[in-house]
Amino acid sequence: MRLRPDEEARLNNILAPIRSDLRVQKMKNYFQHGRITTFDHVESVTRLSFWINKRLHIGADDRVLTIGAFLHDYYLYDWHVTDEGHGLHGFSHSNTAKENAINDFGIGKRTQDVIESHMWPLNITKIPKSRAAWIVCIADKCVSTRETLLCR
């Protein structure tokens, strides 16, 4: 899955201010699946989401898709430490990530939906409501499966 130079430039243009933010950089301190950091995970999900949108000509809003994909796991804690209240991480982290993204970056409602619904169908009531949300939901499942099976 390779992005063309113009797509790479568009992706980087959208993400530059967020990717370099010190709060976002904290995602490098937490592990997602196996030895993959949360930062590396969201990078992979973002790139796959962007690629799917472009290659399949789905027409989702680039900015909503890219920011939503990149911040979908912006929860900033070690979910493996369950005694700190993270035992139901799969059910709760999308809301934590959404609230963090609202507070730190002032994201809009459509981007909030991308973040909040990325764990569907585990969170059965949080059905994706847009093309961008569906793409990120699917890309997250693909990337998570690959990381879980191949990166341990």
Side-chain angles (χ1 to χ4, degrees):
M1 159 207 79
R2 289 193 157 222
L3 297 176
R4 295 188 303 259
D6 62 311
E7 294 168 339
E8 195 75 51
R10 174 74 174 141
L11 183 73
N12 289 330
N13 183 47
I14 294 169
L15 279 185
I18 294 172
R19 190 185 275 145
S20 63
D21 189 281
L22 293 177
R23 296 164 297 194
V24 168
Q25 291 292 312
K26 290 179 183 177
M27 289 194 290
K28 292 179 178 179
N29 298 326
Y30 304 109
F31 288 93
Q32 185 76 358
H33 306 112
R35 64 180 192 272
I36 304 298
T37 66
T38 303
F39 187 91
D40 291 337
H41 169 75
V42 299
E43 280 274 355
S44 295
V45 170
T46 302
R47 295 180 68 76
L48 179 56
S49 296
F50 198 88
W51 185 89
I52 289 169
N53 190 42
K54 295 302 181 188
R55 291 303 173 279
L56 299 181
H57 307 283
I58 295 174
D61 182 289
D62 283 351
R63 182 167 292 280
V64 169
L65 172 89
T66 302
I67 294 172
F70 196 79
L71 296 176
H72 81 274
D73 280 338
Y74 184 54
Y75 49 81
L76 303 176
Y77 59 79
D78 182 355
W79 68 268
H80 301 90
V81 181
T82 58
D83 59 346
E84 291 181 11
H86 309 306
L88 297 175
H89 171 78
F91 296 99
S92 64
H93 80 276
S94 60
N95 191 59
T96 303
K98 179 187 80 168
E99 293 301 322
N100 287 344
I102 291 168
N103 293 334
D104 292 349
F105 300 104
I107 61 167
K109 182 67 183 121
R110 294 186 308 148
T111 307
Q112 291 173 35
D113 178 57
V114 171
I115 296 169
E116 187 176 53
S117 64
H118 83 273
M119 285 302 291
W120 186 85
L122 181 62
N123 289 351
I124 195 70
T125 62
K126 306 292 185 192
I127 301 169
K129 298 177 183 132
S130 67
R131 293 174 188 182
W134 277 108
I135 293 168
V136 172
C137 183
I138 291 165
D140 183 50
K141 306 298 179 277
C142 293
V143 170
S144 295
T145 300
R146 180 177 51 85
E147 289 172 353
T148 300
L149 296 178
L150 303 177
C151 298
R152 292 194 176 270

